[in-house]
Structures are given as structure tokens and as C-alpha cells.
Amino acid sequence: MALLQITEPGKAQDPHQRKRAAGIDLGTTNSLIASVRGGVTETLPDEAGEHLLPSVVRFTEGGTVVGLVAMQAAKEDPLNTIVSVKRMMGRGVEDIKGLGERLPYEFVSTEGGMVKLKTDAGEVSPVEVSAEILKTLVARGSETLAGNLDGVVITVPAYFDDAQRQATRDAARIAGLQVLRLLNEPTAAAVAYGLDTGHEGLVAVYDLGGGTFDISLLRLHTGVFEVVATGGDSALGGDDFDHRIAEWIIRESGYKDEVNPRQLRTLMMQARGIKEALSDADSTEVNVSVDGLEFSGQLTRTQMNELIADLVQQSIKACARSLRDAGDSVSKDSVSKDSFSKESVQNVVLVGGSTRVPAVRQAVTEFFGVEPLSDIDPDRVVAIGAAVQANILVGNKPEDEMLLLDVLPLSLGLETVGGLAEKVIQRNTAIPIARSQEFTTYKDGQTAMLIHVVQGERELVSDCRSLARFELRGIPPMVAGAARIEVNFQVDADGLLSVSAREATTGVNASVEVKPSYGLSEAEITDMLKASFDHAKDDIVARSLTEARVDATRVIEALQNALTEDGERLLQASDIELLQQAISVLQEVSETTDADAINEGVEMLGKASEEFAALRMDAAVRKAFAGHKLDELEESN
Ligand code: ADP
Ligand code: MG
């Protein structure tokens, strides 16, 4: 009998004070939910005891079904049964075309350019399909944990871009979930093994699933993972092993006719069983009989290893490539290229069902020269890591427990002329990170520059959060646009931002340190993000109006200065009058909110002053050729 636990007097913890948190692996083929209960992290099964939920949703007039039942209908009702929806998340019709004929659906393009699928239940977006999978998992979670979930961590591939991550968040919102964080899948796997609390160093996560292979290199310092490289092959997986075995059976059987689809399907299913059996046994029986294709015999593990050897090597080549990419990507910072040799990889984590194949394990071990971590079920390790994170983020762990902060929650940028926010580092960028961007002066002879650091997704500075202001002084006087000011943003492993600015010719510099995440709750971040989507259209309009006004002001000022300097010398009074009129016309248009009209006005003023500009140019050229004379003239004045 298990021992009952008794808490220390006065330290009793009300079980209802514990928050309910879960980790979700929203996978291409299978999805899972996991949670920490009584100090143990486990994946949660359905009523039938199944942990893996096939990521398949079937939409019919009668309703929606998810999982195994949906998958079983895929053959008879392919158009309404959505599989591999993850490949479509955050994608437009054009991107989807690249996926080839593997997806048989009827696609429709939406206003925003995102894709939708036609089904008997109407048009559905990939976000809605994913929401159905999430709802099914969460129902399972609330049942097991006896109550609604307070928060979840959802994993995404490390290579997911902003649109794909946003789509995942949207799916969670539709499913009524509070997302504590999106976590990179390889990071989650590393967390499941507790590597985040271990030594500093490189971790390789080797993920071989049914149809895809991903390799990720993570660098750990002070408890934070940075994704230094991702690679792999989106068309390499266990299915390819099955294919090789099926081909072998056809050869051995001596069957000479064309193999029909039914035969191939049967062969592939049998091959999968044979392959999985050979993960444990040295040899297995093969008995096939389908539509006149007959074979009875044995396949040994050694034979199978030969059949799949080149496929396994293909994955190893991708590992080598990623190490090279990692070296290239950081060769600019302080870390030297040598720190990305395979010897520098301290831990290798195995993820995905196909890493159960012994030949795969052996190849990985030989390549990296370390025994890979594989104690945790490779199908479940990602969900388990996500659950560990969710438990910490929801507040079930003491304060001092380390928080894994691996991406920037909001974009960081600078204020530019006209109150516009220029993003230097996009949100969701893995940290630590450093980015530089060049800016220039707006006015002739400008010797100082105000650097205003802002955070947020909106286009106007007034809608973003102000983080810090500092001045760069001592810029040598030059014409507007000639100075080159390099502004460097650096976010360290603790989320601490430092911004520095440096003028290229003189090397004058100034810098400031800010803590961007300080004082911002997850809810505020969500609000800010929501506002940026709600206002996306307004913001674009506001931005183009501001840009047009800035342009107008610039050309007006330039022309006025030119007129003051050279007007009387080079132009007739009537010409000056005309230009003054053109200026007031543009000034008036600038007061309106019609960006197009302002842009037209700018162009017209440019045309009107072309001749004057040409005259000034001539004069300047003459002046240059007659330099001496001019000097003498000036001296005599
Ligand atoms: P995905 O990441 O594509 O969703 P999984 O990680 O669930 O896929 O892996 C599915 C693949 O793992 C299938 O090709 C399956 O045959 C393979 N697999 C599962 N168990 C074993 C096993 N014991 N031996 C070999 N391969 C296995
Ligand atoms: Mg997987």
C-alpha cells in the first residue's frame, strides 16, 4: 500500500489553492495533454486509456468529431476530414500550394490572405480546426483535474514564424484557453529532462516523427535556452522506413504486376507493424497476402537496418548542417565558431516515435559521441516539458523557482520622426538576442538625437509603451540624412535590454539599460497584442498619413531654405511668387487626413521647383569650378 502523506502542522496546503495548469503538444499527427499532479508529471488519457489524440477533425452537417473516430472516416470522407492541419496554420493559399497533393482539400482564400477549407459544415479556418483539437484535449484535462484549467502552455516548432505562432494563440483563444506561454517544442523536451537547471552548454534535440524530421540546437546559459539553429527535413520520417520495408516485401515475393492502392495500403500497414516489432526483437515473421501478392518469411533487424541506412544517414547529415549553421549565425558575437563543434554538444534529447528504432539511436550516439537521453517516452516528452513549465508559470511553484523566459513577449523599437514606432526586434524572438539598425538625422546640421525606446506592436509611439529615453550628442554637423547612427539593441538572458547608439565617423556613443518586462503582466501583454490586431487597419492608415506629412514638411522646409539662400539671386520675383503659392497649397493639404492627396502635393511641389533646383545645381557647379575666385570674392567682401 502506498504511504499517505501528512503535512507539517501549520503548513497544510489547501488543495483548492493549487491552480490547474496543463501542457499541450499540438502535433501534426498526434496531440497530447499533460499535467503535474502530486509532484509527478504525466500525460492524461481519455476514457479508453489512450494518451495520444490523433490530430484529425471531421466536419459534417451533423456535427464535429475529433481523434480516432475522425481518423477512421478519413478514407471514406477525405474532404471533410482534416488531417495535418498544423501544416496550414498561419499560412496563405500560396504557401499551402507548396505542400503538394498531400492535402486533398478545397481551399478558399480569405480577405486577410489566410486560407480556409470548404466542408459540409461550412468554411473552416485551420485556426478553428486546431481549436477543436484543443477543446477535446482540454475537456480531458478538466475531467482528470476536476475543474476548469487556469492556464496552459502550448508547444510549437522552433521554426514557427510569427503568423504561425499567432494562429496557435488564436486557436487557444477560440477554445477558451488562457495561454501562459507558447513554448518551442525542443525547449519543452529539454525542460522535461530538467536540462534547464543543469550546466551551461549545448543541447541537441533530435525529433524524428512519422513524416517529419527536426533537429534543433539549443544553447543554455543562466537558465535560458536560446535556439541557435533549427534544421531537418519536412519529408523524412517513419513513413519512409515503412515504404522501404514494403518495397522489400514486393521484391521478395517476386510479384511482377503493378501494385494497386489497396495492396500498397496493406503493405504499408504491415510494414509499420514489422518495423515497430523490430525495435524490440532481432527478427520477426512476415506474412502478407493481398490481391495475389503473397509472401511468407522472416525479416531481421540487421536486414531492416540495411534497408533504411541511407535515410538514417540523411538525418545525420542534417544534424551536421545545423551545427555549421549555428557556427555561422553566431560567428559575429563573442562566441567562437569552435563552440559549435559536435563535441560541444553536452546533451542529446530524443523526440518522436521513430527514435525508438535502434539503428536511429545508434547513428545519433555515434555522431554526437554521447548517449542520448531517452528515458521519457519520446512521444510524450514534449507535452511533459510543457506541463512542467505551465505548472511554474501558473504560480504553483515558489517565487524563486526559475522562470524559463525564452522569447520576447512584445516587440522592441525606437521612435522615428513623426511619432512612428520602428521595430528593431520583433516579438517572439528568442532571447538572448542582439540587433543593430542604422538611423540618420532629419535636419541639416543636427548634432544631437533623442533615442526613445518603445515596446509594443502598434505603429504609433503614442500607442506603445515608453521604456526609456536618452540622448546622443556630439554628432558632427552634416546635411540631413548623411549621418550614420548605429543603434544596437541587446536583450540578455534575464530579459534585460540595453540600447546603445553610436555615430560612425566620430565614434561618439551613448547607452541606457532598461528592463522591458518589468511591471507588465501577461494580461497587459495580451491586451496590448489584442489592441494591435483590433487597430491594425487604423494603424496602417495613421502610419501612411504621418509619413506623408513628414515628407511634406521636409520638402517645404528644404524649398524655403533654398529660396532664402538663392531665390533672389537666381529667380524672377514672379517665379518666387509661384513657388510660395505652391508651398501654401501643400501646407493646406497637409492639414487634411488624406495621405494620397498629401503625397500628390509633395510630388507637385517637386515638379514645380525642378527648374529652380537645376539653376541651383548649375550655380553650385560653377561655384566649385571657380573656387578660388569665390574665395577671393568672399575675402574682399
Ligand atoms: P509525429 O511527430 O509525426 O506526430 P510521432 O512522433 O508520433 O509522429 O511518430 C510516429 C512514428 O513513430 C510512426 O512512423 C511510427 O511507426 C513510429 N513508431 C512508433 N513506435 C515505434 C516503435 N516502437 N518502433 C519504431 N517506430 C515507432
Ligand atoms: Mg512530433
Side-chain angles (χ1 to χ4, degrees):
M1 202 185 94
L3 290 176
L4 293 175
Q5 296 172 325
I6 298 171
T7 51
E8 216 176 301
K11 291 259 176 82
Q13 206 188 16
D14 179 356
H16 298 292
Q17 300 238 305
R18 269 190 76 80
K19 295 237 176 93
R20 295 182 188 87
I24 294 178
D25 172 3
L26 192 56
T28 311
T29 329
N30 294 306
S31 296
L32 286 126
I33 183 163
S35 188
V36 181
R37 289 182 299 163
V40 181
T41 315
E42 296 169 315
T43 52
L44 310 177
D46 63 6
E47 314 91 87
E50 288 296 334
H51 291 252
L52 293 176
L53 174 75
S55 306
V56 185
V57 185
R58 183 181 181 205
F59 293 91
T60 64
E61 279 174 45
T64 306
V65 287
V66 182
L68 203 59
V69 204
M71 192 166 83
Q72 282 156 352
K75 237 177 270 166
E76 76 212 37
D77 189 18
L79 289 185
N80 292 311
T81 311
I82 318 299
V83 302
S84 294
V85 67
K86 191 170 178 177
R87 292 181 189 265
M88 298 176 244
M89 289 288 272
R91 292 311 181 88
V93 174
E94 287 305 312
D95 310 315
I96 304 280
K97 276 188 192 145
L99 298 176
E101 295 93 53
R102 265 184 291 179
L103 303 171
Y105 313 111
E106 258 185 79
F107 296 114
V108 229
S109 191
T110 66
E111 263 176 64
M114 292 287 128
V115 74
K116 278 199 169 195
L117 304 146
K118 247 185 208 165
T119 74
D120 285 354
E123 287 175 9
V124 293
S125 67
V127 168
E128 289 167 288
V129 179
S130 296
E132 291 300 328
I133 300 170
L134 288 173
K135 280 185 210 163
T136 307
L137 289 171
V138 165
R140 193 190 278 186
S142 323
E143 190 142 308
T144 324
L145 302 176
N148 287 334
L149 296 178
D150 295 300
V152 296
V153 166
I154 302 177
T155 57
V156 290
Y159 56 78
F160 252 29
D161 65 20
D162 203 59
Q164 292 169 302
R165 284 168 198 262
Q166 194 50 54
T168 308
R169 268 190 187 270
D170 290 346
R173 189 163 350 130
I174 294 173
L177 289 175
Q178 163 81 24
V179 180
L180 300 166
R181 184 157 299 166
L182 295 182
L183 189 63
N184 288 328
E185 287 164 10
T187 307
V191 166
Y193 281 104
L195 298 180
D196 52 327
T197 56
H199 303 291
E200 315 260 304
L202 263 194
V203 177
V205 180
Y206 178 104
D207 179 352
L208 189 62
T212 55
F213 169 61
D214 296 316
I215 174 75
S216 314
L217 292 173
L218 310 177
R219 184 166 53 170
L220 177 73
H221 32 166
T222 49
V224 177
F225 282 114
E226 176 195 10
V227 180
V228 288
T230 63
D233 190 335
S234 59
L236 174 67
D239 299 347
D240 299 294
F241 297 172
D242 304 347
H243 214 263
R244 289 290 168 84
I245 296 172
E247 285 169 350
W248 176 82
I249 297 173
I250 298 170
R251 279 200 305 274
E252 291 293 304
S253 71
Y255 189 75
K256 290 282 178 276
D257 296 341
E258 180 107 11
V259 176
N260 70 35
R262 205 173 90 93
Q263 288 173 318
L264 187 63
R265 221 167 23 237
T266 311
L267 282 169
M268 286 292 283
M269 272 175 51
Q270 296 245 37
R272 184 172 174 160
I274 293 163
K275 169 192 74 179
E276 293 180 6
L278 287 177
S279 289
D280 299 318
D282 288 334
S283 128
T284 188
E285 297 272 325
V286 183
N287 289 300
V288 180
S289 169
V290 53
D291 294 350
L293 194 161
E294 315 273 342
F295 178 71
S296 244
Q298 289 270 330
L299 182 68
T300 65
R301 190 191 279 170
T302 317
Q303 280 173 301
M304 183 185 81
N305 289 350
E306 276 167 31
L307 295 175
I308 62 169
D310 63 310
L311 297 172
V312 176
Q313 277 318 306
Q314 216 170 301
S315 77
I316 297 297
K317 275 190 200 128
C319 294
R321 214 177 306 131
S322 287
L323 281 165
R324 272 202 305 277
D325 291 350
D328 290 345
S329 79
V330 297
S331 56
K332 282 181 234 94
D333 20 291
S334 53
V335 187
S336 79
K337 256 185 158 145
D338 306 337
S339 55
F340 292 95
S341 62
K342 58 186 179 180
E343 289 74 26
S344 64
V345 173
Q346 270 139 7
N347 284 292
V348 181
V349 178
L350 295 182
V351 181
S354 299
T355 59
R356 292 213 183 80
V357 174
V360 170
R361 289 190 180 203
Q362 203 187 330
V364 173
T365 310
E366 272 168 22
F367 177 74
F368 288 105
V370 286
E371 194 64 40
L373 296 166
S374 60
D375 297 340
I376 305 176
D377 190 333
D379 298 324
R380 303 185 192 182
V381 62
V382 167
I384 285 179
V388 170
Q389 268 302 290
N391 192 48
I392 297 173
L393 287 169
V394 85
N396 282 343
K397 286 271 186 162
E399 286 277 329
D400 56 332
E401 192 89 27
M402 195 163 36
L403 259 189
L404 187 84
L405 181 72
D406 64 353
V407 292
L408 273 186
L410 293 168
S411 303
L412 296 169
L414 279 192
E415 171 168 357
T416 59
V417 174
L420 295 176
E422 175 71 24
K423 295 183 184 107
V424 177
I425 307 181
Q426 296 286 339
R427 81 192 175 86
N428 277 334
T429 302
I431 59 170
I433 173 99
R435 285 264 158 84
S436 292
Q437 199 163 317
E438 270 192 0
F439 292 87
T440 188
T441 46
Y442 169 65
K443 286 226 162 94
D444 289 345
Q446 185 177 338
T447 57
M449 188 181 247
L450 177 72
I451 313 273
H452 182 196
V453 184
V454 297
Q455 178 182 45
E457 308 315 305
R458 303 285 299 273
E459 299 284 340
L460 299 182
V461 163
S462 51
D463 295 322
C464 292
R465 187 163 181 266
S466 170
L467 293 178
R469 288 169 203 269
F470 66 100
E471 281 181 6
L472 177 67
R473 302 200 156 272
I475 303 170
M478 286 181 239
V479 287
R484 291 206 337 272
I485 317 294
E486 188 179 90
V487 179
N488 183 268
F489 275 58
Q490 203 164 343
V491 183
D492 72 10
D494 298 325
L496 191 77
L497 168 70
S498 37
V499 180
S500 59
R502 187 174 170 279
E503 197 281 315
T505 55
T506 56
V508 289
N509 62 72
S511 66
V512 69
E513 276 204 352
V514 262
K515 181 104 189 168
S517 54
Y518 179 76
L520 263 196
S521 70
E522 192 78 19
E524 281 173 294
I525 292 175
T526 313
D527 284 350
M528 287 175 80
L529 289 178
K530 196 172 165 299
S532 78
F533 300 124
D534 294 349
H535 296 287
K537 244 200 192 136
D538 301 350
D539 275 7
I540 289 166
V541 172
R543 184 175 191 112
S544 47
L545 178 61
T546 309
E547 277 170 354
R549 282 182 176 160
V550 167
D551 266 356
T553 314
R554 194 169 46 218
V555 297
I556 290 171
E557 272 181 21
L559 183 52
Q560 269 166 342
N561 287 341
L563 282 172
T564 320
E565 271 177 42
D566 296 325
E568 281 178 22
R569 208 155 53 84
L570 299 173
L571 294 177
Q572 312 254 318
S574 59
D575 291 336
I576 297 179
E577 176 71 9
L578 276 177
L579 286 176
Q580 296 288 12
Q581 269 170 17
I583 287 175
S584 19
V585 170
L586 181 55
Q587 269 164 341
E588 253 168 64
V589 188
S590 299
E591 305 287 314
T592 71
T593 55
D594 187 344
D596 291 341
I598 301 174
N599 285 329
E600 253 169 57
V602 168
E603 216 170 287
M604 274 161 57
L605 188 62
K607 285 229 175 75
S609 59
E610 252 170 27
E611 207 171 316
F612 178 38
L615 287 172
R616 291 191 79 209
M617 183 77 82
D618 287 349
V621 171
R622 249 181 279 124
K623 206 155 115 183
F625 278 122
H628 284 294
K629 236 187 255 164
L630 188 80
D631 287 344
E632 286 153 22
L633 255 176
E634 273 174 355
E635 268 161 33
S636 67
N637 272 348

